[in-house]
Amino acid sequence: MSKSTEKTAIYKNPEVPLDERLDDLLNRLTLEEKLTQMLYYSYAIGRLGIKEYNWWNECLHGVARAGVATVFPQAIGMAATFSPERLYRVASAISDEARAKYNEFQRHEDRGIYKGLTFWTPNINIFRDPRWGRGQETYGEDPYLTGRLGVSFIKGLQGDHPVYLKTAACAKHFAVHSGPESERHEFNAVVDPKDMYETYLPAFRDAVKEARVEAVMGAYNRTNGEPCCASKTLIQKILRGEWGFEGHYVSDCGAIEDIHKHHQLTNSPEESAAMAVNNGCDLNCGKVFEHLKTAVEKGLIVEDTIDKSVRRLLRTRFKLGMFDPQEMVPFNDIPYELNDCEKHRQIALETARESMVLLKNEDSLLPVDKRGLKSVAVIGPNADSKQVLLGNYFGLPSKYVTILEGIQEAVDDKTRVYYAEGCALGETPESFWGNPPTTGFAEALATAERADLVVMCLGLSPEFEGEEGAVANSDGGGDKIDISLPGFQLELLKAVQRTGKPIVLVLLNGSPIELNWAAENVEAILEAWYPGEEGGTAVADIIFGAYNPAGRLPLTFVKSLEQLPPFRDYSMKNRTYRYLEEEPLYPFGYGLSYTKFEYSNLSINSKKIAISDDMNLTIKVDVENAGEVAGDEVVQLYISLQERSISLPKWQLNGVKRVHLKPGEKRNIEFHIKPRQLAVVDEKGRYLLKEASYRIYLGGQQPDERSKKLTGQGVLYQDIELTGKTMELVD
């Protein structure tokens, strides 16, 4: 082809409709060239101006593994904000930094791993069991909350430009995936249609149908016998068929190899590659798709099928502006100076504050008046740890504030801040060095005895929970064996408590911890998660009253694992707040405040509603700050079917709004409920609107007895009736 003809190639013309450009480019590619585009390390095709591109990038809570970037709270902490608006702001900041870094990487011809625009985020799996090491990456245990937060995060990453994507998000891991990590390459998650459609799929449906997520990543495991990265049911029937997903599907890293090596469903790499692509997997994080040429030669797959995958992948790159003139793509102007900027640091601080959950505050110990405070003892292995600020899948903050540093900065010069590590985070050979594991207790007790206030910083770290291979000293491959405080942390806490000094227990962790003793014997408990680069500032702000906490637990803190089924059981029976049979220690949706909120005037536009697919249900309630401190309230709406012919959740979160109210301020909060939110999921996985009585609950918590006991407050409720013939809602 002549040079002059190449200049006028249709695929290079931004004025031509995208489908025509794709047709033109596909027609120019040889089979071998097409196959090079289906690997996550896609090759350059110089004759067509296609540049090398690496699809693998991470931004779970900030641009990760690509140098300096703002580090926001870990995903489970962001979930505790119960604020879709907050997650949108965070994701928008992350995508600004992603483009800023990408623009510079391109300018310097750096096209390596973690340097692109296709981000394998968010993780919207359901955190169904507290033992799972990767639960910290999720938005918790509730399908509705996970869906709302996931949609906001995806929209923030992808932007709202009518032509171009700011970045491409990826919902993962599809589907029915939450451990065990040690068995993920061979495990078969068995789940019935009801649990599948009621619990494990809704957030993915929201990501596809509402957020229009550009990519979906398959899980390592099998679901009901089918490998998730080559599942006809998941990819073809549900994702592309029922939901109309038009983006690309990517395997988790090494998952295609698992099909023959661990699941043993095929006998060779070419058979695994063919199975995956024939069932709709387009991109391989791994190297097995290098065998697709052999698969074609053996008749295991035809080139037309490969064309469909390559077309979807090229479409994403076109939408990111990679084939258009530099000046046409507005995001190419985002300057490097936006990366790790002061504005984003402030967003990280705000998010950390909003994420923290006050679990206990006996006799209103908090907030502490720092005026006249002579001394504070900051004790614990997480007190001065950078690692616990970051969680996993993180970038490198140019500045970070540990809990110790935050408290040192918050108090005035006349206040003495003592520090003692006390003990190692857990029992490891390195923590002994010939000394007994309690060797640090003496210093901790010495500081506590001299202090007016003790801040104990305990919990976990990514060394004790994480992905397979990330946790070296666990038999669970990243999962926790139990949910107690590791090592001698509880013994340290008990020893310090015996000094009689008031204690604020600050937990840094990504999953529930057994807190039975602490709940009975410690004055105040603050759940801080893995709080990001400004975590120490946020903790100090809450302890000393510069911020009024309003975070809520996005998952249940059980009293012990004895309350739960075996880890490998994927049935929802007796799992999460919706089906838990015994009383938890701290319930989903729970969190305390320094002020009090009162609810009144609950109203519903109709108490009797005829069943239809366009039903209109509007719910309003007045919320007033009846205390003396300004603060946020997390208004929660739950729905319960009062008449049960099948197994159903006790109640289900179906609305959430976080609002800021000054003392004495009252605001009317309005919710609009869609027909799907009133549907029940039957044993076949169908969404049915049935003639029945429903109860609508509104308050700052669940309508359970444990939340009422902990907060001293109940919730409002009203009943409504659906009337008419049963109707199935179809996607």
Side-chain angles (χ1 to χ4, degrees):
M1 184 175 291
S2 69
K3 189 173 182 180
S4 61
T5 305
E6 186 66 26
K7 284 183 178 179
T8 59
I10 293 174
Y11 76 92
K12 290 188 173 183
N13 185 353
E15 304 302 320
V16 174
L18 180 54
D19 283 334
E20 293 181 28
R21 298 177 74 187
L22 288 166
D23 289 340
D24 181 60
L25 184 53
L26 268 173
N27 288 335
R28 295 169 185 267
L29 294 171
T30 66
L31 173 60
E32 290 77 7
E33 288 172 334
K34 293 171 186 175
L35 299 181
T36 67
Q37 302 306 295
M38 296 176 68
L39 300 163
Y40 79 93
Y41 45 93
S42 295
Y43 294 5
I45 304 175
R47 68 182 185 86
L48 296 175
I50 298 176
K51 297 178 180 179
E52 172 190 351
Y53 183 70
N54 197 301
W55 292 78
W56 187 348
N57 305 276
E58 306 284 357
C59 68
L60 183 63
H61 54 122
V63 179
R65 301 178 177 177
V68 173
T70 306
V71 179
F72 300 90
Q74 175 62 292
I76 194 66
M78 289 195 286
T81 69
F82 271 55
S83 173
E85 295 78 13
R86 170 56 59 188
L87 266 72
Y88 180 83
R89 287 195 69 192
V90 169
S92 296
I94 291 172
S95 57
D96 275 347
E97 297 198 5
R99 273 285 180 172
K101 293 174 79 71
Y102 173 79
N103 293 341
E104 285 301 304
F105 294 147
Q106 294 295 296
R107 192 168 69 86
H108 291 284
E109 296 295 327
D110 185 351
R111 307 182 193 281
I113 192 170
Y114 311 132
K115 306 294 176 65
L117 292 172
T118 45
F119 287 90
W120 293 346
T121 301
N123 183 340
I124 54 173
N125 291 130
I126 296 301
F127 194 0
R128 68 186 173 91
D129 192 293
R131 284 164 282 205
W132 188 33
R134 297 191 74 176
Q136 61 177 289
E137 301 175 25
T138 76
Y139 300 136
E141 70 182 35
D142 182 67
Y144 175 84
L145 182 64
T146 298
R148 292 301 85 212
L149 299 180
V151 165
S152 288
F153 204 84
I154 291 163
K155 287 183 175 181
L157 288 182
Q158 296 191 164
D160 57 3
H161 194 274
V163 176
Y164 297 109
L165 292 170
K166 195 177 183 186
T167 69
C170 175
K172 66 183 186 184
H173 308 86
F174 192 64
V176 195
H177 173 81
S178 53
E181 283 294 297
S182 61
E183 301 173 19
R184 66 183 186 176
H185 298 287
E186 61 192 31
F187 185 72
N188 181 33
V190 178
V191 60
D192 64 33
K194 176 178 172 57
D195 284 339
M196 173 89 84
Y197 280 89
E198 184 179 76
T199 297
Y200 295 109
L201 293 183
F204 285 98
R205 178 188 179 275
D206 291 347
V208 171
K209 294 184 71 68
E210 186 174 347
R212 302 184 67 82
V213 70
E214 185 65 16
V216 171
M217 175 180 281
Y220 284 111
N221 55 278
R222 282 170 285 151
T223 295
N224 295 333
E226 294 182 348
C228 295
C229 290
S231 171
K232 184 175 182 179
T233 300
L234 289 176
I235 306 173
Q236 300 221 67
K237 177 181 178 291
I238 298 174
L239 186 64
R240 298 200 188 279
E242 295 177 9
W243 300 343
F245 176 62
E246 296 180 347
H248 68 268
Y249 195 95
V250 55
S251 76
D252 207 338
C253 300
I256 306 300
E257 183 181 48
D258 290 341
I259 296 174
H260 57 271
K261 190 173 182 179
H262 298 295
H263 296 305
Q264 299 183 349
L265 296 174
T266 57
N267 297 312
S268 65
E270 57 265 31
E271 289 181 19
S272 297
M275 174 186 272
V277 180
N278 281 328
N279 283 307
C281 183
D282 307 309
L283 184 68
N284 180 199
C285 183
K287 297 185 177 181
V288 177
F289 279 12
E290 290 181 348
H291 297 270
L292 278 171
K293 180 72 180 303
T294 304
V296 173
E297 293 169 350
K298 289 185 175 182
L300 300 174
I301 189 170
V302 297
E303 189 169 354
D304 283 350
T305 302
I306 288 169
D307 284 351
K308 292 178 182 177
S309 287
V310 176
R311 184 186 187 88
R312 287 191 283 255
L313 294 171
L314 290 174
R315 180 183 291 272
T316 297
R317 294 185 67 175
F318 270 97
K319 290 168 72 174
L320 288 165
M322 295 179 182
F323 290 89
D324 289 352
Q326 180 84 5
E327 64 276 7
M328 287 193 66
V329 185
F331 308 119
N332 290 338
D333 293 331
I334 294 177
Y336 183 76
E337 284 73 15
L338 269 185
N339 183 62
D340 188 43
C341 65
E342 189 57 37
K343 176 184 176 182
H344 293 173
R345 179 175 299 281
Q346 184 63 30
I347 295 174
L349 173 58
E350 293 168 359
T351 308
R353 288 169 174 162
E354 291 184 11
S355 74
M356 294 181 184
V357 185
L358 185 59
L359 298 177
K360 185 181 179 183
N361 192 20
E362 187 175 290
D363 298 327
S364 299
L365 172 64
L366 298 177
V368 174
D369 187 351
K370 61 185 179 183
R371 294 172 299 179
L373 187 66
K374 295 181 180 179
S375 57
V376 181
V378 184
I379 300 171
N382 278 340
D384 198 32
S385 169
K386 174 184 177 181
Q387 186 180 33
V388 298
L389 302 177
L390 305 182
N392 69 356
Y393 285 92
F394 56 85
L396 300 176
S398 62
K399 175 186 174 185
Y400 61 91
V401 184
T402 67
I403 311 305
L404 174 62
E405 292 168 337
I407 290 172
Q408 289 171 332
E409 183 66 27
V411 299
D412 60 40
D413 295 339
K414 296 180 180 179
T415 302
R416 174 74 182 269
V417 178
Y418 294 98
Y419 166 62
E421 184 180 30
C423 68
L425 194 63
E427 298 177 68
T428 62
E430 294 80 10
S431 64
F432 296 136
W433 289 96
N435 294 315
T438 57
T439 189
F441 280 27
E443 185 173 41
L445 292 172
T447 62
E449 289 164 352
R450 288 162 173 78
D452 298 327
L453 175 73
V454 176
V455 179
M456 296 288 297
C457 302
L458 307 178
L460 304 171
S461 84
E463 291 182 339
F464 291 86
E465 57 179 346
E467 194 168 358
E468 178 204 38
V471 181
N473 61 339
S474 167
D475 294 332
D479 301 320
K480 296 185 296 182
I481 305 303
D482 58 50
I483 59 171
S484 59
L485 283 167
F488 288 84
Q489 292 184 69
L490 182 57
E491 286 77 3
L492 175 66
L493 179 61
K494 289 180 178 179
V496 173
Q497 188 267 350
R498 286 194 290 270
T499 67
K501 297 302 177 73
I503 294 175
V504 179
L505 172 58
V506 178
L507 294 168
L508 296 114
N509 48 290
S511 60
I513 295 174
E514 186 267 291
L515 294 171
N516 299 320
W517 188 89
E520 292 293 329
N521 295 282
V522 172
E523 288 84 354
I525 305 175
L526 180 66
E527 174 56 77
W529 315 106
Y530 297 136
E533 63 184 41
E534 283 291 331
T537 307
V539 168
D541 284 347
I542 289 173
I543 289 176
F544 298 116
Y547 186 80
N548 183 0
R552 297 293 196 271
L553 290 180
L555 67 176
T556 303
F557 276 44
V558 294
K559 294 177 180 176
S560 76
L561 290 178
E562 294 179 359
Q563 293 185 300
L564 300 175
F567 190 12
R568 292 165 180 81
D569 182 359
Y570 267 77
S571 166
M572 290 308 296
K573 181 178 172 57
N574 201 27
R575 285 201 185 279
T576 75
Y577 78 94
R578 296 178 304 138
Y579 285 106
L580 188 66
E581 295 169 3
E582 298 183 34
E583 182 180 81
L585 180 64
Y586 293 122
F588 172 91
Y590 164 72
L592 299 174
S593 170
Y594 294 156
T595 190
K596 182 179 180 181
F597 296 94
E598 293 183 352
Y599 288 73
S600 61
N601 300 322
L602 172 60
S603 66
I604 302 175
N605 64 318
S606 179
K607 302 294 180 62
K608 186 172 290 189
I609 306 169
I611 291 173
S612 70
D613 58 7
D614 61 351
M615 293 186 307
N616 175 29
L617 184 63
T618 300
I619 302 168
K620 298 180 181 181
V621 69
D622 288 336
V623 183
E624 181 180 4
N625 184 344
E628 299 178 356
V629 181
D632 291 357
E633 172 67 333
V634 177
V635 185
Q636 302 169 50
L637 184 153
Y638 293 84
I639 299 177
S640 174
L641 180 68
Q642 299 300 99
E643 303 164 16
R644 296 163 180 247
S645 57
I646 58 174
S647 174
L648 292 171
K650 291 179 290 187
W651 41 75
Q652 166 77 52
L653 182 70
N654 269 288
V656 60
K657 291 191 179 180
R658 183 167 177 144
V659 295
H660 183 78
L661 297 174
K662 300 175 183 177
E665 183 180 1
K666 180 187 291 187
R667 190 176 304 177
N668 185 258
I669 307 300
E670 186 171 307
F671 294 93
H672 297 276
I673 301 301
K674 300 176 182 178
R676 193 176 183 87
Q677 294 175 268
L678 292 169
V680 299
V681 182
D682 72 2
E683 303 302 337
K684 295 181 180 180
R686 298 177 300 177
Y687 276 74
L688 303 177
L689 290 171
K690 302 179 67 175
E691 187 167 69
S693 175
Y694 291 77
R695 180 159 290 176
I696 310 295
Y697 303 92
L698 263 167
Q701 61 201 43
Q702 271 191 74
D704 64 306
E705 287 301 315
R706 179 61 176 163
S707 294
K708 184 177 181 180
K709 180 179 179 181
L710 289 167
T711 65
Q713 291 183 284
V715 301
L716 302 180
Y717 67 86
Q718 281 193 17
D719 293 337
I720 63 169
E721 289 185 22
L722 295 191
T723 62
K725 187 178 180 181
T726 297
M727 170 185 289
E728 180 181 357
L729 298 177
V730 180
D731 283 306

